[in-house]
Amino acid sequence: MSDQITSTFAALADPTRRAILARLALGETSVTEIAAPFEMSMPAISRHLKVLEKAGLISRGREAQWRPCKLKAEPLKQAADWLDEYRRFWEESFDRLDEYLKTLQIKEKKDARNKNGSGRKRR
């Protein structure tokens, strides 16, 4: 699985490939339609598609003259699941930090009251 995650993240490292995946999330489409919004040659688009295909993020077919591309989301789910473990780590870390900051605020208020004499008992 880690090899799949490595391939997925390597493919996602390029903004053009991320944009291609975003387009394919809307549905299957042709290479020509994928290339339309980009200011690059068809061979350059083809190279991006090959990287995505090798990473298992898309499939490419052939129907007569039409070369449809389709998103394959399973590798993205695997990467998201992997990242989710770290999300939990950070949330727990932030929860601990939040508790620590609350403790500091309470201590600062208590120290300020004692310093100003408002924390002393009156006779």
Side-chain angles (χ1 to χ4, degrees):
M1 184 166 105
S2 64
D3 288 340
Q4 178 61 58
I5 291 172
T6 300
S7 297
T8 299
F9 283 123
L12 294 174
D14 186 276
T16 299
R17 292 193 287 268
R18 291 192 305 269
I20 290 170
L21 290 176
R23 169 54 190 95
L24 291 175
L26 302 174
E28 186 176 55
T29 192
S30 72
V31 173
T32 306
E33 290 171 349
I34 290 170
F38 300 102
E39 294 183 17
M40 61 179 65
S41 67
M42 284 301 277
I45 290 292
S46 183
R47 285 190 294 275
H48 283 295
L49 293 173
K50 285 178 186 174
V51 170
L52 292 169
E53 187 174 26
K54 186 176 178 185
L57 294 167
I58 67 167
S59 63
R60 298 191 324 174
R62 174 170 263 166
E63 297 173 16
Q65 298 297 320
W66 196 50
R67 302 261 314 160
C69 293
K70 183 177 180 181
L71 178 67
K72 292 172 63 179
E74 182 57 31
L76 292 172
K77 183 180 180 333
Q78 290 173 356
D81 290 346
W82 184 81
L83 286 169
D84 196 44
E85 292 298 318
Y86 292 93
R87 180 189 54 80
R88 282 194 281 272
F89 166 78
W90 282 110
E91 285 177 353
E92 290 170 6
S93 296
F94 288 136
D95 289 344
R96 286 191 305 271
L97 178 61
D98 189 44
E99 286 301 315
Y100 177 71
L101 291 175
K102 286 178 185 176
T103 302
L104 285 179
Q105 288 174 340
I106 291 169
K107 186 178 183 293
E108 285 177 1
K109 286 179 184 177
K110 189 176 181 180
D111 289 348
R113 281 195 307 255
N114 287 340
K115 185 178 180 181
N116 293 331
S118 61
R120 296 181 184 162
K121 292 183 181 178
R122 294 185 181 180
R123 294 185 193 195

